Amino acid sequence: MLAPLISIDLIENAFKHADLQSSDAFISIIFEFRDDHFYLTVSNKISSKKPIEKEKSGIGVTTLENRLRIIYKNHFKLEKFIEGDVYIAHLKINLFEHKAQMLTAR
């Protein structure tokens, strides 16, 4: 029920945007399956270093949101926010509703 590699973009971004050389750096990745839902919370301390500008940067999360919409329709919620100097991404997918929709579509 969980699409292959659906969580990779959020995890990859945590490693890209964290300054792992800093003494207080961290990356936290929490996976949970509870009450027919998949939860993923990824958080990292934001690097104080200015990121390198790339010509085609910043499309990963947009691509992820599009994939989620295609696969899970309206049975997911993706929240991204900053608390202090910590970036947090929280993904919730209702696997029960997704499965029910797949079964009725047959």
Side-chain angles (χ1 to χ4, degrees), residues 16-82:
K16 273 197 276 188
H17 297 289
D19 180 7
L20 298 179
Q21 302 300 315
S22 175
S23 62
D24 61 347
F26 72 89
I27 295 173
S28 172
I29 304 167
I30 300 169
F31 293 93
E32 293 179 87
F33 288 95
R34 181 172 27 95
D35 303 324
D36 297 318
H37 288 75
F38 168 74
Y39 298 91
L40 171 63
T41 302
V42 180
S43 56
N44 63 277
K45 183 166 188 299
I46 300 169
S47 174
S48 59
K49 296 178 182 178
K50 183 175 169 128
I52 298 171
E53 294 292 326
K54 296 179 188 173
E55 186 177 316
K56 293 184 177 182
S57 67
I59 62 169
V61 173
T62 302
T63 303
L64 171 61
E65 289 174 339
N66 288 338
R67 286 178 60 214
L68 287 166
R69 243 180 251 108
I70 290 167
I71 297 167
Y72 297 106
K73 312 290 187 247
N74 60 342
H75 304 295
F76 77 94
K77 184 174 185 178
L78 177 61
E79 300 175 305
K80 305 166 298 243
F81 51 94
I82 296 173

Side-chain angles (χ1 to χ4, degrees), residues 5-14 16 60-61 63-65 67:
L5 300 174
I6 200 72
S7 60
I8 195 70
D9 291 318
L10 297 176
I11 295 170
E12 184 181 89
N13 280 346
K16 273 197 276 188
V61 173
T63 303
L64 171 61
E65 289 174 339
R67 286 178 60 214

